[in-house]
Amino acid sequence: KVYHALHQHDIEGARKAVSMIVGRDTQRLDAAGIAKAAVETVAENASRSGVMRTDIFIAIGGVPFGFFYKAVNTMDSMVGYKNEKYLYFGRAAAKLDDVMNYVPSRISGLLMVASAALTGGDAKRAWHIFCRDRYNHASPNSAQTEAACAGALGLQLAGDAWYFGERYHKPTIGDAVREIEDADIIRANCLMYGAAVLCLVICVIIRYLLVG
């Protein structure tokens, strides 16, 4: 929806569509900012929201382990936000999610690099940015796939953003080899799907070897 609105030069429609999938304020975003927000959330959530991580947990411990992971992940999404008034509310959920996702997020980042080689991205730059910028985030896990995506597409992601009327300073991820465009949303989707298919194939093989 974000891509189609941008492609039709419907900025207000694109702002509304992207506000459904990101936490930042979208009222002041221009076309480039909207496209960047969409690419970032695809890249980050390729791993963070369970596109690949759930498969990994199911491969290791079966469906019960997969459900347990999704419970932790959903709890983090619902109450893991940090603000001045409720600093400790949800902290246990956020920290547990970080611990459980430490290894899977890095596997997901590597799969995103591999996906770049299969989907027309720049795999060499994806590997370089993954190694260099994968810790440029407050979370130890969130930038793993985002760094690989930024490198594969030749974009600079992250940086400062507005949340609830307040500007937050964040480090950037990747190099601005070129300007972002609406088609990068489609390219990011292709990277995510490619990595997800690779992950699924590997996890099916692992599960088969574990249970016979």
Side-chain angles (χ1 to χ4, degrees):
K1 291 181 178 180
V2 179
Y3 166 75
H4 288 301
L6 283 176
H7 197 62
Q8 296 167 7
H9 306 291
D10 179 9
I11 297 298
E12 286 304 318
R15 285 182 182 135
K16 182 177 179 180
V18 81
S19 72
M20 299 292 104
I21 57 173
V22 301
R24 74 192 64 182
D25 298 341
T26 60
Q27 301 93 333
R28 64 185 77 213
L29 294 179
D30 59 9
I34 294 168
K36 189 175 86 162
V39 168
E40 286 173 4
T41 198
V42 169
E44 181 178 342
N45 288 297
S47 171
R48 186 175 184 181
S49 287
V51 175
M52 288 182 277
R53 292 181 191 176
T54 305
D55 287 346
I56 294 171
F57 280 104
I58 291 175
I60 296 170
V63 173
F65 203 20
F67 273 116
F68 175 71
Y69 161 70
K70 283 305 297 179
V72 172
N73 182 251
T74 303
M75 184 167 59
D76 175 46
S77 298
M78 293 178 67
V79 301
Y81 293 94
K82 183 170 64 175
N83 59 53
E84 292 182 1
K85 185 175 182 180
Y86 300 110
L87 179 63
Y88 296 102
F89 185 76
R91 173 165 285 190
K95 294 302 181 183
L96 181 58
D97 185 69
D98 285 345
V99 170
M100 291 191 67
N101 287 324
Y102 189 85
V103 173
S105 66
R106 283 145 184 80
I107 295 173
S108 299
L110 292 173
L111 289 171
M112 188 76 86
V113 173
S115 177
L118 300 175
T119 59
D122 190 331
K124 184 177 180 180
R125 187 185 294 118
W127 171 251
H128 170 67
I129 300 300
F130 171 74
C131 293
R132 192 191 74 185
D133 292 351
R134 61 198 179 106
Y135 292 110
N136 286 6
H137 198 283
S139 165
N141 303 324
S142 294
Q144 303 289 324
T145 47
E146 194 171 343
C149 180
L153 300 182
L155 302 174
Q156 186 175 85
L157 301 178
D160 294 355
W162 290 81
Y163 294 87
F164 306 106
E166 185 176 351
R167 185 172 185 172
Y168 286 80
H169 297 284
K170 300 181 178 182
T172 57
I173 298 172
D175 297 323
V177 176
R178 59 180 181 81
E179 295 294 323
I180 195 167
E181 56 187 10
D182 54 13
D184 286 315
I185 299 173
I186 303 300
R187 297 183 186 113
N189 283 343
C190 288
L191 277 170
M192 179 189 68
Y193 285 129
V197 169
L198 286 173
C199 183
L200 180 61
V201 171
I202 294 170
C203 287
V204 167
I205 293 172
I206 292 172
R207 192 66 189 156
Y208 177 78
L209 294 175
L210 289 176
V211 301

